[in-house]
Amino acid sequence: MVEEVLYVLDIPAAFAAAGKVRKEAYGRPDPQVASTLVGTTGLAFPEQLVEIKFIARV
């Protein structure tokens, strides 16, 4: 099982990109992944647009 948490500055842009990126990253049209999207006003570095946390359990 894979869990991902995405911290983003722009929620609409993240939703627009997430499906395509997730399909490419997991190599299948219907990735079986638990995903949470969190909007925030800032991240660790000013140039960051997204921060991603992954947890994989086998």
Side-chain angles (χ1 to χ4, degrees):
M1 181 179 131
V2 175
E3 293 179 51
E4 55 183 41
V5 180
L6 292 81
Y7 301 92
V8 301
L9 299 179
D10 184 338
I11 291 175
F15 271 122
K20 180 180 182 214
V21 170
R22 190 173 288 116
K23 288 174 187 176
E24 289 180 20
Y26 293 104
R28 54 185 295 172
D30 61 341
Q32 302 299 306
V33 57
S35 182
T36 302
L37 183 65
V38 180
T40 184
T41 58
L43 297 167
F45 300 102
E47 66 275 10
Q48 275 184 273
L49 300 176
V50 64
E51 184 172 321
I52 304 171
K53 173 185 173 183
F54 289 100
I55 300 172
R57 293 187 177 95
V58 291

